[in-house]
Amino acid sequence: MTFPPVRPRPGSRPERAKGGEDGVLPLPTDLERPVYGAANLADVLPGVAAALGVPIARGDLPADPLDLTGALAGARRVAVLLVDGLGADLVRAHPAQALVLNQLAAPAGVLGAPCPSTTPVSLTTLGTGRPPGAHGVLGFVTDVPGEDRTLDHVRWTDDPDPLQWQAVPTVFEQTAAAGMASTVVGPHTFARSGLTRAAYRGAHYAAAYSAGDLVAGVHQALTAAPRSLVYGYTADLDLTGHVRGVDSPAWRNQLGLVDRLVDQLVAGLPDDGALLVTADHGMLDVPEHTRFDVDDVPELAEGVRVLAGEPRARYVHARPGATDDVLATWRAALAHRAWVVSREEAIDSGVFGPVEPGLAARIGDVVALARGSWAMVATQREPVPSRLAAHHGSLTATELAIPLLMARGAALG
């Protein structure tokens, strides 16, 4: 079965926020609001677990939003592979490099990433089955309220305590409590990271040292028990995109290697096994003429206590009493380049899902989400991220649209 056109089926893609009538500045027409509980990344593992006979508690969200029971009928062992940066639009745009991916079934159409569309947010959304506003990992870099410091969720170890910073039970904890074994196969460097413990606790972590090791680890975990949930993660495509750009020979070559990895995973599926392939976000190249350097505009530092987030999803934390002025200055300076709103407006728009009151302060007093191919770089404060060729984090269709592709073992047809 060929991969379908990357356009929304009913309920399968993010939708534009309703705005204006309630005082919330509406999203621009080129940005979209994630819909949690309706074909979102948050719905993948709960859908798989339900198909394996383990319903997942998710607060007010439906327990089985994707209804994968038909697609996974007869499967007793399911692997979910997340390819960092594998946007649905990018898969469809490269049929030659992604030959296997484009031939897989698509049981639920195109899914949506959370907001911000960035790796730590997405991985925790996947692992918990909950929106960012519920689990609290709300950005790549966020302020630690009351401590005058920031937290880089990718470099996070044990401060803050991952079990307190992200207190929502994971899908893996719930499947373990129901007696179903689960395994995470991921980079050895993240085996004991804060993000791993926040997003994946409850699963056995099997460290992988290469792509081949990842394939072998997934196959081994699938056959280790009569009923199993296995999750695998690979980051090289995203890294290549950031450094070289998604319109580069290097990225296309790396996509071909991902396609080969998926082919190997499919070839080794047990007869009663299935493989799902998804992603955490898409990404896009940012040319020089759409890079807005906030460090070149001194007025943008006035009244600012902390600049957090990343180039396409900025959180600006104001000094006491300066929020209104900071919002007005950033909104005027960025103009058409970004959707710039207050924390309250961003929360009311629903882009994070319902936000728990105790987590709201992790979001900036001012939120700026990039439009088009713009990026709000900070060349003095963030020299390395500012030099990257491609970015993600905002709410364009290309950043939000992620695939959900499937292959079944020989006995399942």
Side-chain angles (χ1 to χ4, degrees):
M1 179 176 179
T2 59
F3 190 67
V6 183
R7 293 300 109 207
R9 66 174 176 81
S12 70
R13 283 287 295 270
E15 66 183 22
R16 306 214 193 291
K18 297 175 182 177
E21 66 274 2
D22 55 2
V24 177
L25 185 67
L27 281 168
T29 56
D30 58 334
L31 301 184
E32 300 178 342
R33 177 171 64 87
V35 182
Y36 305 100
N40 185 269
L41 182 62
D43 307 320
V44 172
L45 289 184
V48 172
L52 290 172
V54 181
I56 301 299
R58 305 202 299 155
D60 294 333
L61 294 180
D64 187 11
L66 290 179
D67 190 14
L68 295 172
T69 53
L72 296 175
R76 299 288 292 169
R77 315 162 199 264
V78 180
V80 176
L81 175 70
L82 189 144
V83 180
D84 200 323
L86 186 72
D89 290 345
L90 293 170
V91 173
R92 183 170 181 262
H94 295 85
Q97 292 82 8
L99 180 62
V100 174
L101 288 166
N102 276 284
Q103 291 177 341
L104 296 181
V110 177
L111 306 186
C115 176
S117 56
T118 196
T119 300
V121 179
S122 289
L123 298 190
T124 312
T125 297
L126 175 92
T128 61
R130 303 287 295 276
H135 61 64
V137 177
L138 284 152
F140 194 92
V141 176
T142 61
D143 187 54
V144 180
E147 298 191 17
D148 198 29
R149 66 186 176 105
T150 58
L151 172 62
D152 182 331
H153 286 97
V154 171
R155 299 184 179 183
W156 181 22
T157 54
D158 56 6
D159 183 21
D161 182 347
L163 276 67
Q164 295 181 10
W165 187 257
Q166 196 300 95
V168 172
T170 70
V171 172
F172 303 110
E173 287 178 304
Q174 296 187 58
T175 58
M180 184 173 70
S182 58
T183 302
V184 171
V185 185
H188 68 97
T189 51
F190 295 140
R192 297 189 57 79
S193 74
L195 184 60
T196 291
R197 284 177 282 164
Y200 307 148
R201 61 177 177 262
H204 167 68
Y205 194 95
Y209 292 84
S210 66
D213 202 24
L214 170 66
V215 173
V218 169
H219 288 159
Q220 180 178 4
L222 280 173
T223 58
R227 185 177 59 150
S228 56
L229 170 61
V230 181
Y231 165 71
Y233 169 80
T234 177
D236 289 344
L237 186 70
D238 177 77
L239 176 60
T240 305
H242 279 304
V243 175
R244 302 300 184 193
V246 296
D247 187 23
S248 68
W251 188 91
R252 288 188 285 273
N253 289 337
Q254 188 61 43
L255 178 60
L257 294 177
V258 168
D259 202 57
R260 176 59 178 150
L261 182 150
V262 171
D263 191 32
Q264 291 179 331
L265 285 171
V266 172
L269 283 175
D271 288 350
D272 61 351
L275 171 70
L276 294 174
V277 181
T278 190
D280 51 350
H281 53 73
M283 59 196 313
L284 49 85
D285 288 340
V286 176
E288 287 298 325
H289 68 273
T290 57
R291 293 170 183 261
F292 183 90
D293 191 350
V294 300
D295 285 339
D296 278 348
V297 185
E299 294 83 1
L300 293 179
E302 294 177 3
V304 173
R305 179 178 60 85
V306 170
L307 177 68
E310 58 189 294
R312 283 186 58 80
R314 284 295 180 194
Y315 289 159
V316 187
H317 294 267
R319 299 186 185 280
T323 296
D324 290 346
D325 289 340
V326 171
L327 175 60
T329 300
W330 276 71
R331 186 173 281 170
L334 290 170
H336 64 282
R337 302 175 182 91
W339 182 59
V340 183
V341 292
S342 68
R343 173 193 294 143
E344 292 74 19
E345 288 176 309
I347 291 173
D348 289 346
S349 75
V351 294
F352 308 110
V355 177
E356 293 295 323
L359 305 178
R362 301 178 190 182
I363 301 168
D365 295 298
V366 174
V367 176
L369 298 177
R371 300 179 62 185
S373 63
W374 285 96
M376 296 158 281
V377 299
T379 56
Q380 299 302 310
R381 283 172 283 186
E382 300 174 354
V384 174
S386 297
R387 291 196 298 267
L388 295 176
H391 292 271
H392 50 80
S394 192
L395 300 177
T396 64
T398 292
E399 289 162 293
L400 290 185
I402 55 176
L404 184 67
L405 307 174
M406 184 186 71
R408 291 158 57 93
L412 304 180

